[in-house]
């Protein structure tokens, strides 16, 4: 049943009534039941927040322990729930063991750097802007040729490509642009002839040793493997006259987790009444994490590449007032960012609490 009361607009996100702002109050991200609220002031202009619910901006580069000599010790979790664990890693040296995650799938996003990843299915050369999707149980070893910073999205559920619906199978990216490994024997020398595999299960590490290379696959076939997708091969959809919801930019999905990629694209230039920046929205069913990779982050001030913002359920969010002003004369956005939405509430780790900007919660009212 649809109702309408008071001052509204006919087309959501277009011709917002003079003196009001629009807030989307919606279920299921942006695809379920929804109402649009027309308010006199933005819903973020709070003057005090007491209690622990607040938006956060995290300076991930400052995470304690980031970039330790060992890959597993040097990857630092910053947000987690039972479906997803988000970590940052800085890998400088080649790993001297293989690693297998039995707790979940891993999606590695290469924020900076390049090198080689050896996997059960074969090796791949990775570079900045790559997503490397490693199904649960895959063994891998990182061999960076340049210091590599990774955003690691660990999901209990299987990572798949979202249904494109009416857009068809080739929208956003053609399946043909996904690279998969070709099996190849490794020529690496290992210390004392022992090949070590570290397996993570329930966050505890077990080391299994072989007298031969356990990555000895000479061929494989099937539809479960490692994927490599570079963000330059993603072609975002846009609309000249209507601000699309962020779910239009979904790249991967896992149970109760959505991974989306925001990429350079034209703004809404075809109708002066159309909103150009994200509309205010209430997180009713998802927590939202945005990792800023590169470019110009037009909806946020004071955000640098390598930072994360975290907007938990219960508080609405939206663009900064200065961003709305700045967008008026812009025709494009050059932002490159990764969004992770989770249905269940995320908790900040102790390490994350230490790198959270103390006054981010009040940055809209300044
Ligand atoms: Fe959002």
């Amino acid at each position: 049943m649809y109702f309408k009361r008071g001052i509204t607009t006919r087309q959501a996100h277009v011709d917002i009534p003079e003196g009001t702002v629009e807030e989307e109050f919606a279920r299921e991200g942006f695809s379920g039941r929804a109402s649009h609220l027309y308010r006199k002031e933005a819903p973020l202009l709070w003057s005090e927040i007491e209690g622990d619910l607040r938006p956060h901006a995290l300076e991930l580069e400052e995470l304690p322990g980031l970039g330790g000599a060992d890959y597993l010790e040097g990857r630092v979790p910053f947000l987690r729930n039972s479906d997803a664990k988000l970590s940052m890693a800085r890998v400088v040296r080649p790993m001297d063991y293989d690693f297998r995650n039995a707790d979940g799938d891993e999606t590695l996003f290469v924020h900076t750097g390049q090198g080689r990843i050896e996997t059960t299915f074969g090796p791949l050369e990775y570079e900045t802007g790559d997503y490397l999707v490693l199904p649960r149980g895959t063994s891998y070893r990182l061999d960076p040729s340049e210091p590599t910073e990774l955003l690691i999205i660990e999901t209990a559920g299987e990572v798949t490509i979202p249904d494109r619906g009416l857009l068809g199978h080739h929208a956003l990216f053609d399946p043909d642009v996904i690279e998969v490994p070709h099996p190849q024997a490794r020529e690496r020398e290992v210390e004392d002839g022992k090949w070590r595999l570290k397996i993570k299960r329930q966050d505890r590490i077990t080391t299994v040793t072989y007298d031969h290379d356990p990555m000895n696959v000479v061929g494989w076939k099937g539809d479960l493997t490692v994927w490599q997708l570079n963000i330059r091969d993603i072609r975002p959809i846009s609309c000249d006259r209507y601000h699309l919801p962020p779910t239009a930019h979904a790249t991967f999905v896992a149970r109760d987790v959505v991974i989306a990629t925001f990429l350079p694209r034209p703004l809404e230039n075809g109708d002066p009444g159309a909103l150009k920046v994200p509309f205010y929205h209430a997180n009713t069913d998802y927590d939202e994490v945005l990792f800023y990779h590169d470019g110009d982050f037009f909806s946020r001030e004071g955000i640098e590449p390598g930072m994360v913002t975290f907007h938990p359920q219960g508080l609405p969010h939206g663009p900064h007032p200065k961003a709305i002003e700045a967008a008026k004369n812009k025709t494009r956005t050059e932002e490159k960012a990764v969004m992770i939405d989770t249905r269940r509430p995320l908790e900040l780790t102790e390490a994350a609490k230490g790198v959270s900007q103390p006054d981010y919660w009040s940055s809209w009212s300044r």
Side-chain angles (χ1 to χ4, degrees), residues 58 68 93 102 114 136 189 230 286 325 342:
L58 306 178
R93 295 195 313 200
Q114 60 179 8
R136 179 198 296 255
E189 293 287 318
N230 194 282
Y286 281 86
E325 204 51 43
T342 65

Side-chain angles (χ1 to χ4, degrees), residues 30 246 262 278-279 281 283 288 290 300 311 317-318 339 341:
F30 297 88
F262 297 121
F279 42 88
H281 46 288
N283 299 35
E288 181 185 299
L290 206 48
R300 291 277 185 277
H311 289 267
H317 64 278
M339 184 181 78
D341 277 10

Side-chain angles (χ1 to χ4, degrees), residues 117-136:
I117 182 170
E118 296 164 352
T119 78
T120 310
F121 298 87
L124 288 164
E125 303 298 324
Y126 69 78
E127 61 179 315
T128 299
D130 274 351
Y131 281 109
L132 300 163
V133 181
L134 301 144
R136 179 198 296 255

Side-chain angles (χ1 to χ4, degrees), residues 93-271:
R93 295 195 313 200
M95 290 162 61
D96 58 8
Y97 54 88
D98 298 329
F99 171 61
R100 175 187 296 164
N101 191 335
D103 289 330
D105 285 26
E106 285 193 5
T107 301
L108 311 183
F109 176 72
V110 183
H111 174 49
T112 59
Q114 60 179 8
R116 182 179 172 91
I117 182 170
E118 296 164 352
T119 78
T120 310
F121 298 87
L124 288 164
E125 303 298 324
Y126 69 78
E127 61 179 315
T128 299
D130 274 351
Y131 281 109
L132 300 163
V133 181
L134 301 144
R136 179 198 296 255
T138 305
S139 300
Y140 71 90
R141 173 180 171 268
L142 292 163
D143 186 353
S145 54
E146 276 182 13
T148 296
E149 288 195 326
L150 301 169
L151 169 69
I152 301 172
I153 306 159
E154 188 179 334
T155 51
E158 177 185 352
V159 174
T160 59
I161 309 285
D163 180 15
R164 303 284 186 223
L166 297 174
L167 294 172
H169 298 295
H170 306 95
L172 282 79
F173 58 88
D174 191 314
D176 214 12
V177 303
I178 291 184
E179 298 288 343
V180 299
H182 193 280
Q184 189 180 316
R186 293 197 288 190
E187 290 165 7
R188 189 161 74 91
E189 293 287 318
V190 291
E191 198 184 327
D192 62 18
K194 303 287 186 190
W195 297 78
R196 290 183 177 83
L197 169 64
K198 295 193 180 190
I199 304 170
K200 181 170 91 72
R201 178 175 152 82
Q202 297 200 301
D203 276 338
R204 297 193 298 274
I205 301 291
T206 298
T207 304
V208 178
T209 304
Y210 294 84
D211 291 333
H212 62 270
D213 183 353
M215 283 194 197
N216 54 3
V217 172
V218 295
W220 62 266
K221 66 190 196 72
D223 56 7
L224 179 62
T225 187
V226 174
W227 292 335
Q228 179 182 35
L229 171 66
N230 194 282
I231 58 170
R232 69 167 168 266
D233 288 324
I234 301 176
R235 295 164 193 271
I237 57 167
S238 60
C239 177
D240 202 27
R241 302 180 61 219
Y242 175 74
H243 188 86
L244 295 171
T247 36
H249 304 287
T251 309
F252 303 111
V253 289
R255 190 189 66 226
D256 292 336
V257 180
V258 178
I259 301 171
T261 316
F262 297 121
L263 292 167
R265 59 192 187 279
L267 294 178
E268 294 73 14
N269 304 310
D271 183 339

